[in-house]
Amino acid sequence: MRFRPADILRRITTTLALLALPLVTGGWTSGPQSTFDTKGPVARAQLEVFNVTVYVTFAVFFIVAGILAYATIKYKARSDSAEKAPVPDQGHGNPFIELGLIGASIAALVVIAVPTLRAIWYTYDVPEAERANAYEVNARGLQWWFQFEYPLEQIAGSGQLVTGNELVIPAGRPVRINLRTSDVIHSFWVPKLGGKVDMMPNRGNHLWLQADEPGYFWGQCAEFCGESHAVMRFRVIALGAEDFAAWLENQKKPARDVVAPAGAKAVLASYDMTPKKRNAPGYTADFDANPLAAWTAMQFPEKDEDAVLVNQGRKLFAEKNCVTCHAVRGHGASGVNAPDLTHFGARTTLAAGLLENNKPNLHRWIVDPNNVKPGNKMYMGVNGMAGYMTADDKGRMTKSHIQVNDTEARAIVEYLHSLK
Ligand code: HEC
Ligand SMILES: [Cu+2]
């Protein structure tokens, strides 16, 4: 088979054009999990290491590919007789070229090593000078969701503040995150802010990150940890100093009580159950356009809250055994195997960042969690607590333990959304 130089050139340009396509269209540089769109110093340090490595390896690639292309075209056999000609005398290498190549390789590695080592030290822990200003939280991985503990925020009678799946941090301050796991290895990663560091059994890892400004960021478990690994997500919400203090104050309060006026009747709230599909399943356009504003709006009780329904839901939450796994501080629920729901109504996502926390999505989750997130522990049971399914006497997951019908789900949704 013979290639003409024009053919080779066409192939090379097509390949390069294909590789460059995501760059041109912004496919690599935007999106909620892009590491190119950095929003904090740790992520920037990591991007810098990536860039330096890319520049050096691209330079090596173009030099080698250029020499190869030059030799291929220039010394190509252009006729049948040239093709059959004997191989010319082979040289034995030139010591200057060989030493030069060794030297150049070492130089290239040094160019990569210097910023790499600097970044390893910088990203390992909060810099000495800023330690006094740092905030500290613990992040714990569980199949397949995240728990966040605030050791600096103690609540009388119930220990430290605990939340799930949404980590709220102060913007403009370094945050040291102690990484723990309750089961297998997970990994903590917030692409725009920093990561990833593994959460290892019996080993205390940590990392730090900082958000330049208030914002809403996506996080993701980055270590394969079982069936729902790919949808083990979380969010980081960075707030200005005042907003952060206000958020903490509200979180430390027990769950909100909603009192129904005497004689009030429930109006069955109706909502469209069609799943909304945009960038991520269940996300609405409003939410995508400004997630931080959507988050802020969720901190306040809903205007059309149905007090009677809320209280029916509160009763059902206990009757359906949701309390065996979930805690709702102040409402008699103190389960420890699942996300704390004390202020669940103020979170923007559900099922570990998988879906927007709106009523139709929450409804789907409560009626049939396995349909939303296959294999999850709310459905399968966890630590000996029966979930929606429970084992029969032969250990098979067959009997359905918790069943929630549509009417009941509407009440539970109203209750959970009242928990601001
Ligand atoms: C066997 C323990 C168990 C029981 C019982 C249980 N859950 Fe859960 N629940 C979980 C676990 C585990 C998760 C996290 C699932 C995931 O994201 O993988 C969860 C997640 C949730 C979430 C989403 C929380 C978040 O921050 O993403 C809601 C809401 C919820 N459960 C409501 C309920 C309701 C209502 C009931 C009762 C009808 C109930 N759960 C019963 C274990 C349980
Ligand atoms: Cu994981």
Side-chain angles (χ1 to χ4, degrees):
M1 190 174 185
R2 293 257 200 104
F3 285 112
R4 277 171 296 130
D7 283 339
I8 298 174
L9 206 65
R10 208 184 56 223
R11 269 158 210 250
I12 292 175
T13 40
T14 321
T15 311
L16 285 179
L18 279 177
L19 286 176
L21 199 64
L23 271 185
V24 176
T25 57
W28 282 348
T29 51
S30 64
Q33 306 216 86
S34 170
T35 47
F36 289 85
D37 183 17
T38 56
K39 298 288 188 229
V42 174
R44 268 195 297 280
Q46 292 172 326
L47 179 61
E48 197 185 295
V49 172
F50 174 84
N51 282 339
V52 169
T53 315
V54 166
Y55 297 149
V56 171
T57 46
F58 259 46
V60 171
F61 170 77
F62 282 115
I63 292 168
V64 173
I67 294 174
L68 184 66
Y70 173 79
T72 309
I73 294 164
K74 169 144 188 178
Y75 297 108
K76 185 175 138 51
R78 276 165 224 282
S79 64
D80 271 0
S81 61
E83 193 112 48
K84 287 180 189 122
V87 179
D89 281 349
Q90 298 294 295
H92 279 280
N94 178 327
F96 291 107
I97 292 185
E98 291 193 356
L99 283 175
L101 285 178
I102 292 172
S105 309
I106 292 173
L109 287 180
V110 169
V111 170
I112 293 177
V114 170
T116 304
L117 290 174
R118 210 169 42 201
I120 288 174
W121 266 287
Y122 178 70
T123 59
Y124 179 70
D125 207 346
V126 180
E128 199 77 42
E130 289 172 63
R131 233 162 255 183
N133 185 31
Y135 193 75
E136 186 171 358
V137 295
N138 304 333
R140 178 180 295 278
L142 297 98
Q143 282 173 324
W144 289 276
W145 59 282
F146 288 89
Q147 185 172 69
F148 300 111
E149 300 162 352
Y150 290 73
L152 302 177
E153 316 301 334
Q154 296 293 327
I155 304 165
S158 53
Q160 63 193 352
L161 171 64
V162 177
T163 70
N165 297 320
E166 294 196 351
L167 172 63
V168 179
I169 57 167
R173 272 173 78 182
V175 181
R176 187 187 206 261
I177 305 177
N178 303 308
L179 303 171
R180 306 285 182 264
T181 171
S182 285
D183 38 54
V184 300
I185 303 177
H186 302 276
S187 177
F188 186 92
W189 186 35
V190 191
K192 293 189 180 195
L193 297 181
K196 14 175 131 153
V197 176
D198 278 2
M199 310 167 111
M200 309 276 286
N202 302 320
R203 186 190 154 128
N205 279 352
H206 63 84
L207 58 70
W208 75 283
L209 44 78
Q210 179 173 329
D212 295 330
E213 280 170 11
Y216 184 95
F217 308 98
W218 289 46
Q220 167 82 46
C221 172
E223 176 74 50
F224 180 71
C225 59
E227 198 168 354
S228 279
H229 157 70
V231 286
M232 179 172 166
R233 300 180 193 150
F234 63 103
R235 299 291 186 275
V236 175
I237 292 104
L239 299 176
E242 261 171 48
D243 290 344
F244 182 62
W247 179 81
L248 281 177
E249 195 190 309
N250 185 54
Q251 290 287 310
K252 286 196 245 177
K253 289 185 191 148
R256 203 175 141 244
D257 288 318
V258 177
V259 183
K265 283 213 170 75
V267 193
L268 261 195
S270 70
Y271 34 76
D272 179 10
M273 284 296 299
T274 349
K276 301 191 174 57
K277 288 230 165 66
R278 256 176 69 96
N279 290 348
Y283 278 73
T284 56
D286 281 353
F287 188 81
D288 271 355
N290 191 344
L292 188 59
W295 182 89
T296 308
M298 290 200 70
Q299 304 309 303
F300 306 100
E302 281 154 28
K303 279 191 224 76
D304 52 358
E305 186 173 78
D306 185 327
V308 176
L309 211 53
V310 167
N311 285 293
Q312 283 173 7
R314 181 169 167 177
K315 250 179 77 204
L316 283 166
F317 192 78
E319 283 168 18
K320 297 280 176 187
N321 282 332
C322 315
V323 294
T324 52
C325 295
H326 290 284
V328 180
R329 209 171 357 103
H331 285 188
S334 52
V336 294
N337 295 300
D340 187 301
L341 299 179
T342 309
H343 297 279
F344 174 75
R347 298 212 282 262
T348 49
T349 61
L350 78 106
L354 173 59
L355 295 174
E356 179 185 334
N357 179 13
N358 57 33
K359 289 184 177 177
N361 283 342
L362 186 54
H363 189 114
R364 282 166 59 211
W365 173 253
I366 290 169
V367 171
D368 190 0
N370 203 47
N371 190 30
V372 173
K373 187 169 179 176
N376 73 79
K377 306 271 179 169
M378 170 152 150
Y379 182 76
M380 300 297 289
V382 54
N383 295 343
M385 302 288 174
Y388 277 53
M389 298 297 275
T390 187
D392 68 5
D393 25 350
K394 293 203 177 69
R396 289 174 304 209
M397 303 302 292
T398 47
K399 293 185 209 147
S400 113
H401 175 65
I402 299 177
Q403 274 172 333
V404 181
N405 67 30
D406 274 323
T407 319
E408 292 163 339
R410 274 169 203 268
I412 297 175
V413 164
E414 198 71 10
Y415 168 57
L416 290 175
H417 265 215
S418 77
L419 301 173
K420 294 300 182 183

